[in-house]
Amino acid sequence: MKQKFNKLAGKWKYIVIFTSIVLLVAVLSPAYISAGSSQQVEAFVSRFYQVCLDRQPDQAGLNQWVEDLLDGSKTGADVAKGFMFSKEFTDKNLNNSSFLTIAYRAFFNREPDQAGYDAWLKKLNNGTSRQTVVDGFSQSQEFAQLCGSFGIIPYAGAKTSVASTTSSGAGVISGTAAGFSSGNKVNFVIWGDDSGMGRPGGRVNGRTDQNMFVHINLDTNKAIIVPIARDTWTSIPGHSNGKINGAHAMGGNDLAERTFEQFTGIPIDFYVITDFDGFAPLINKLGGVTVTIEENISDSFSNCYMTPGTWTINGDQALALCRARHGRSLYGGGAFAREYQAAMLLKGLLLQKKGIVNSSNLPDVLNMLSGYVWSNISLDMAARILPALLAMGDGDISIQKFNQWPQNYGKASAVGYNAAEKNAFFANIAAQ
């Protein structure tokens, strides 16, 4: 096999998250999560470095914050304020809008809701201090619940950490629902977000350039993966029509989830999302992935050069493969081939890595995942999904597509489809 992998730039494709769900549902059982563990506290602090300072933690600073939280000398609010009013953060000279958006992500692990954002922004623009905003956020029930999910005291005077159905980790789990909309059939979306540290907007704030709809039947232990082209043209709730990958950039996880529900006609039980900084390092952490290549690939854009065969590749190589679209002929060619190849890699990764979690390494695996994956799956959901995922073999996971093609919508170069055929396709998926 001839391979040439130089420094990668530009668009990317993330396909690791399906495997991460297997690991998540295995490690996020309440029997294995001890409140206030050092791994939980480290994950809590690390997310502030990433959200507020747009960088990975320095070890000395991380150790000090973790020590202070573990011995009770600092609270979650102390950590949040320490970052929000640090010289490194204030030197960014952010305007009120940007400051407020980061505050929502830091304190609540979500994008701003429009009503709350508008109200706080009006106060800031009318002279309310940023200290007042931070004080309000740090005393909120939502922040207390976030702290509770990491097993720490939210603010001075709180009697204990707030009980929560969420797990530990840097945004890994935030859901509370116990059931699925379709009984024993689970439907969720996997997003690879065009964002990362050092990129405009920071982490998990861009377009979802990788979109996969996943359907699991818990009774039959069967799964279907449907890759959806990033440029698919669709209606976006509350907005004009546009490419489906833009919904997340417009309105965060909530709008993206509603957009995919509307597009598929199927209630979405939860989402899983990662960003630019999640893919290659996690593939490497998992020991690489074995892939099957069925055509010659020579793509100078992604720096992927591969010949037919079975190969074990590392994170950067997997990234190059999942970006390779030039000169492709199989699976619909071009971008369609890239997305189908990503789905194939996703399936292979699940089957190859689902057995890596065991009772002795659970804390380490949980801590590792917490820096890469965000999801609103609940613990109850995870516990119900796990047996089906672990029981799946190669013949139990299929990759299915509906007909799509390049099409212009006004001046926009996008991807079209027959709406009636698309609707029938997803109705059939839902029935399986």
Side-chain angles (χ1 to χ4, degrees), residues 224-354:
I224 300 170
I225 304 172
V226 181
I228 299 174
R230 68 180 186 183
D231 292 335
T232 298
W233 196 258
T234 189
S235 59
I236 299 175
H239 299 265
S240 57
N241 291 352
K243 297 179 181 180
I244 200 166
N245 69 338
H248 188 266
M250 296 177 187
N253 298 328
D254 176 67
L255 180 60
E257 193 169 23
R258 287 188 287 124
T259 300
F260 278 81
E261 282 190 335
Q262 180 173 279
F263 181 77
T264 62
I266 300 173
I268 303 297
D269 293 306
F270 60 89
Y271 60 80
V272 182
I273 187 169
T274 190
D275 66 1
F276 189 84
D277 295 301
F279 178 69
L282 186 51
I283 288 286
N284 291 335
K285 190 73 173 180
L286 294 173
V289 59
T290 299
V291 298
T292 297
I293 304 301
E294 298 182 299
E295 65 177 334
N296 285 306
I297 301 175
S298 180
D299 189 341
S300 60
F301 176 78
S302 68
N303 293 305
C304 179
Y305 299 86
M306 301 185 72
T307 56
T310 299
W311 313 104
T312 298
I313 57 179
N314 64 26
D316 285 343
Q317 293 167 334
L319 176 59
L321 173 61
C322 293
R323 295 176 60 240
R325 61 188 175 90
H326 298 285
R328 303 295 300 271
S329 59
L330 296 181
Y331 322 130
F336 299 114
R338 172 181 59 191
E339 288 150 358
Y340 195 85
Q341 188 85 61
M344 292 171 63
L345 193 152
L346 176 66
K347 174 182 175 179
L349 195 62
L350 167 63
L351 295 174
Q352 295 162 36
K353 307 299 180 181
K354 65 180 182 177

Side-chain angles (χ1 to χ4, degrees), residues 183-194:
N184 280 349
K185 296 177 180 180
V186 185
N187 302 288
F188 61 96
V189 286
I190 299 169
W191 295 318
D193 194 67
D194 187 12

